[in-house]
Amino acid sequence: MDILQSWRRVLASDDNRRRYDAYIERWESRIACLLERDLTRATGTPDAALPLSGIPFAVKDNIAVRDFHLTCGSKILQNLVSPYTATAVKRLEAAGARVIGKTNLDEFGMGSSTDNSALQRSNNPWNASAVCGGSSGGSAAVVAAGLVPFALGSDTGGSVRQPASFCGCFGLKPTWGSVSRFGLVAYASSLEVIGVLARDVDTVETVYDLMAGADDLDQSSLARPAAPPAREIRTVGVLRGTAGLAAPIEAACRNTIDALKQSGCEIVELELPMLEYVVPAYYTIATAEASANLARYTGIRYGLRAAVDEGQEQMVAATRNAGFGDEVKLRILLGTYVLRSGFQDQYYVRAQKIRTAIRNAFDAAFQQADVILSPVYPTQAFVRGAGELSPFAQKLADRFTASANLAGIPAFAFPTGVADGLPVGLQFMGPPFAEHRLFDAVRRLPDVAPLMRPDGYDEGWRS
Ligand code: GLN
């Protein structure tokens, strides 16, 4: 594969240049090295035997890559350059892949459109008036636009799968703990995990296999079990009572169920009444953890510092006021509220109990079904303006994705087709460490997961 020549084409194309609004930072010198056929300088160790030798990839800008910025889409970290590299990225680099850019996101991963980025706006490659989803929207856009074969994102409540669906690519949220979080900037630690976005199942599988595994630098990381769940898929669970889906999503569910039946799967209807409480439980736990995790941004050690003379407390307040966007402030306030003594039992503790009940409900469901098929989001990518969902409606719409984060289970979003010029996607969920079962489930659906290309798409990284 002559990626050097391909990059020349990518850079020469105005169309693709416009799509760079998905990047917060690109490593021009590294791309230039590739263009000059100077693989030694570009990759350090050009070893064609490595599985991803010379393959460029992009990384969401809340994952640390040494010498790249680490903005988290926030003014408070706008000028921060990372002194170290996340373990997940290191493992991919050891396999020969090279980071060429950092991608836009909702500030600190909080949102569903990437429009919550304080730094720039990124558009959906399928329709520039539509959002690319979030919070890993930039990663989804660069993959969908063909600028890189894969990108990393993070998924706390759906942030890999929802933008993957909005932009027509595949997106994996692995089992919690299966990929080291060292170098991932914390938003809600007990829910989040680094995931992969790519244009085909095989790439997702390769990248996941390379990234996963225990890491001394993250004590919550888990080794893969010696005997992971079998890959076999005989029964597929579908959720009863998924009202309120847009017509193209509903149609995709029907068609996918038919295709699964034709491939020999038995469909079982599942009753999961606990799912009604996913959104309140998710936003209680996520904001509680965010209020603790984001307390480190004080202007004292790193990041923005407001010029204030009165004293430390005023300086910290002014820094946070100037550095955080509205959504981040809202979530910190909500988080401190649900953790206040006196309210804790009513909100936080209750949410944790609901979380346990949701996990138990999934455990029981996987006794009946090998995988569960579910929508990712009730709508396709929304168009800015009249078609846009309100911030509150966006949060309610997280009900299908955040359930997997609360339960810690893997979930894999895949494209099923295009309707009204925008992609449609669904997801499979499985028991912990059943990622390969999810890949195989999607492989049973060759007809409903076509390789889609937005207009003007140029798979420039590949000649
Ligand atoms: N929409 C979710 C939120 O706003 C997704 C977050 C995520 O996965 N990072 O919290």
Side-chain angles (χ1 to χ4, degrees), residues 89-322:
V89 174
K90 263 201 172 144
R91 289 182 178 175
L92 295 172
E93 288 185 335
R98 289 298 175 263
V99 180
I100 56 146
K102 302 298 293 290
T103 55
N104 200 14
L105 68 158
D106 290 305
E107 190 171 355
F108 286 105
M110 299 177 182
S112 308
S113 62
T114 301
D115 284 359
N116 283 353
S117 168
L119 306 182
Q120 67 200 50
R121 177 177 271 200
S122 303
N123 298 322
N124 192 309
W126 291 80
N127 173 349
S129 322
V131 301
C132 46
S135 63
S136 315
S139 287
V142 294
V143 169
L147 301 179
V148 278
F150 73 91
L152 299 188
S154 63
D155 195 310
T156 311
S159 280
V160 163
R161 292 161 285 155
Q162 189 258 26
S165 284
F166 276 22
C167 293
C169 42
F170 295 87
L172 173 71
K173 173 235 173 281
T175 305
W176 185 84
S178 69
V179 177
S180 167
R181 282 183 294 113
F182 177 75
L184 168 66
V185 176
Y187 154 28
S189 319
S190 79
L191 298 160
E192 63 206 1
V193 61
I194 293 178
V196 197
L197 298 102
R199 291 182 49 80
D200 58 82
V201 183
D202 292 358
T203 305
V204 175
E205 184 166 28
T206 305
V207 172
Y208 168 71
D209 283 342
L210 288 165
M211 288 195 310
D215 173 22
D216 288 344
L217 298 171
D218 173 5
Q219 304 211 341
S220 66
S221 64
L222 302 165
R224 264 181 281 189
R231 296 178 84 126
E232 227 166 306
I233 306 146
R234 289 199 204 91
T235 47
V236 177
V238 294
L239 306 174
R240 197 177 288 164
T242 47
L245 298 179
I249 313 287
E250 216 174 281
C253 288
R254 272 199 312 274
N255 295 340
T256 306
I257 290 172
D258 286 347
L260 287 165
K261 278 186 191 157
Q262 259 171 22
S263 79
C265 293
E266 188 196 332
I267 305 292
V268 285
E269 280 208 1
L270 298 171
E271 203 83 65
L272 287 174
M274 286 316 297
L275 294 190
E276 203 186 314
Y277 305 106
V278 162
V279 170
Y282 167 74
Y283 277 97
T284 304
I285 293 169
T287 57
E289 293 185 18
S291 72
N293 276 327
L294 272 61
R296 73 192 68 183
Y297 305 109
T298 55
I300 293 172
R301 289 194 202 86
Y302 48 79
L304 182 77
R305 176 181 298 176
V308 168
D309 296 331
E310 291 104 275
Q312 183 179 319
E313 211 169 295
Q314 286 81 352
M315 186 280 286
V316 172
T319 298
R320 292 163 71 83
N321 192 30

Side-chain angles (χ1 to χ4, degrees), residues 42-92:
T43 65
T45 50
D47 182 348
L50 294 172
L52 297 178
S53 187
I55 300 285
F57 71 109
V59 176
K60 184 179 183 178
D61 207 16
N62 63 348
I63 299 172
V65 183
R66 194 186 156 142
D67 296 336
F68 275 92
H69 280 88
L70 182 59
T71 67
C72 296
S74 180
K75 284 193 191 142
I76 212 158
L77 293 179
Q78 196 167 4
N79 297 320
L80 181 75
V81 175
S82 177
Y84 64 91
T85 298
T87 299
V89 174
K90 263 201 172 144
R91 289 182 178 175
L92 295 172

